[in-house]
Amino acid sequence: LKSKGVTLAAICDIDINRAKKAAEKYGVEKYYDSVDKMLAEADIDAVDVCTWNAAHVPVCITSAKAGKHILLIIALCSSIVMYLCSEILINIFTTDAVVIQIGMSLIPLLLFYQFADAMQICFANILRGTGHVMSMMRIAIISYVIIGLPAAYVMGFTLGWGVKGIFLAISLGLFTAAGLFFWEYHKFGKAHFS
């Protein structure tokens, strides 16, 4: 938890006793059982969201509305585990050497895809939380239909990259969506939260 220029300012947990215990362990003065209260009282610049998946969205929306930077570590951790244990995980499902070889060659692309997907889901849900959803349909059409599908055809078939090209193209569509969702939220936030 020590990093140059970074101070752990507060800890929040739905169980106040667990929050207090963690605060004592890491030498943090402030601890909370309410994200809203923490954001209102604590002097923080960023929120590290370490919740279960279903709780990501409300915490991210609340933090974003409070003007905080948001860190999501779950996708990164699961990607690291998937990469380091990829052969073991594939061997659970098959012993066929050809399938294992194909699976091993696809793991890095799947991790790239997972990162792109996590980004676009996070930004889409934050934008959805503002109620500003009409732009989401336009962004989805641009990202997936205008960019993703043609890129998948070109990379997968025209260039002959096969499955790898298709995964790269889908990831390209997801990264495009993430960037556009973020840009749209940034525009919305400047107009409504400033």
Side-chain angles (χ1 to χ4, degrees):
L1 287 173
K2 292 183 180 180
S3 183
K4 189 175 182 180
V6 177
T7 303
L8 185 58
I11 293 179
C12 185
D13 193 300
I14 56 174
D15 180 343
I16 194 67
N17 293 322
R18 207 167 33 209
K20 181 180 179 183
K21 190 175 180 180
E24 289 169 353
K25 179 178 179 180
Y26 297 111
V28 178
E29 289 181 29
K30 298 178 181 179
Y31 58 92
Y32 302 89
D33 62 357
S34 162
V35 173
D36 293 317
K37 190 173 180 182
M38 178 186 69
L39 293 171
E41 294 179 4
D43 181 23
I44 55 177
D45 298 315
V47 176
D48 189 357
V49 181
C50 300
T51 63
W52 60 96
N53 288 341
H56 281 357
V57 175
V59 174
C60 287
I61 291 169
T62 303
S63 300
K65 285 183 177 179
K68 308 301 180 190
H69 298 282
I70 302 166
L71 307 169
L72 283 170
I73 198 73
I74 302 298
L76 177 63
C77 289
S78 63
S79 294
I80 290 169
V81 169
M82 176 72 85
Y83 182 75
L84 295 176
C85 300
S86 56
E87 191 168 356
I88 295 167
L89 293 171
I90 294 169
N91 278 305
I92 291 171
F93 299 100
T94 186
T95 56
D96 185 319
V98 174
V99 175
I100 292 171
Q101 182 181 8
I102 292 169
M104 292 295 291
S105 72
L106 291 176
I107 291 291
L109 295 171
L110 293 172
L111 299 179
F112 185 68
Y113 167 87
Q114 180 181 2
F115 184 67
D117 192 40
M119 284 182 60
Q120 71 90 28
I121 287 171
C122 182
F123 293 135
N125 284 330
I126 290 170
L127 188 59
R128 187 176 291 120
T130 66
H132 190 63
V133 295
M134 284 307 292
S135 62
M136 293 177 69
M137 182 179 66
R138 289 189 298 275
I139 290 170
I141 290 170
I142 292 167
S143 302
Y144 310 131
V145 178
I146 296 175
I147 294 174
L149 287 176
Y153 180 81
V154 170
M155 291 177 168
F157 301 104
T158 306
L159 296 176
W161 295 355
V163 175
K164 293 178 182 179
I166 292 170
F167 271 111
L168 282 172
I170 292 171
S171 299
L172 174 66
L174 292 169
F175 274 121
T176 302
L180 292 173
F181 287 143
F182 175 76
W183 178 70
E184 191 67 29
Y185 174 75
H186 186 69
K187 266 187 3 185
F188 179 84
K190 274 188 164 180
H192 291 85
F193 303 134
S194 297

